[in-house]
Amino acid sequence: AVKIPNVDNPIRNMSGGQRQCVSIARTAAFASKLVIMDEPTAALGVQETAQVENIIRGLKERGIPMILISHNLRQVFDLVDRIVVFRRGRIVASLRKDETDGNDIVSYITGVKGTEAA
């Protein structure tokens, strides 16, 4: 659940984090086919980030397909099933989360490891 101090407050009067949470909550409420989130928590505080991560978990539990674009590896490993790494506009790895770790992913991101796209 997203916590908004005053739901009668117009969106234009909300903080950036509150606006982001409202947007993501609306997406979750109306999502049916696919949700794409690009750095959904980049500008959020700790509490707002936790709320958004809970929304993402809820979407996952409902079986809604989702693409999460993030540089936050902790978040990636907590929220996804498959990790696809792009480097210079190309897929260099496509791995199941349970078959890899953070060090492995960083190696693909930095180019230490080569192309192993599935």
Side-chain angles (χ1 to χ4, degrees):
V2 175
K3 294 178 184 171
I4 303 295
N6 179 359
V7 293
D8 294 324
N9 193 12
I11 293 286
R12 71 178 171 268
N13 295 336
M14 293 183 183
S15 72
Q18 289 171 330
R19 289 180 191 190
Q20 181 93 345
C21 285
V22 168
S23 175
I24 290 169
R26 288 185 64 193
T27 297
F30 298 109
S32 61
K33 294 185 180 183
L34 174 67
V35 174
I36 300 172
M37 294 188 184
D38 186 358
E39 302 285 355
T41 61
L44 302 182
V46 174
Q47 186 175 24
E48 292 157 329
T49 294
Q51 291 173 358
V52 170
E53 288 176 355
N54 286 334
I55 291 169
I56 292 170
R57 285 184 192 94
L59 289 169
K60 189 174 175 180
E61 287 170 8
R62 289 172 33 205
I64 295 174
M66 181 176 21
I67 297 171
L68 174 65
I69 301 163
S70 180
H71 290 86
N72 182 331
L73 289 183
R74 190 256 338 139
Q75 191 173 70
V76 167
F77 277 92
D78 283 353
L79 299 173
V80 306
D81 298 317
R82 175 167 287 283
I83 300 169
V84 178
V85 180
F86 283 76
R87 179 168 165 73
R88 297 185 177 171
R90 297 188 185 273
I91 295 174
V92 295
S94 179
L95 307 159
R96 292 197 45 78
K97 172 182 73 174
D98 54 2
E99 296 172 350
T100 190
D101 61 28
N103 291 331
D104 201 26
I105 297 302
V106 169
S107 293
Y108 286 110
I109 291 170
T110 60
V112 171
K113 285 194 172 187
T115 303
E116 291 183 27

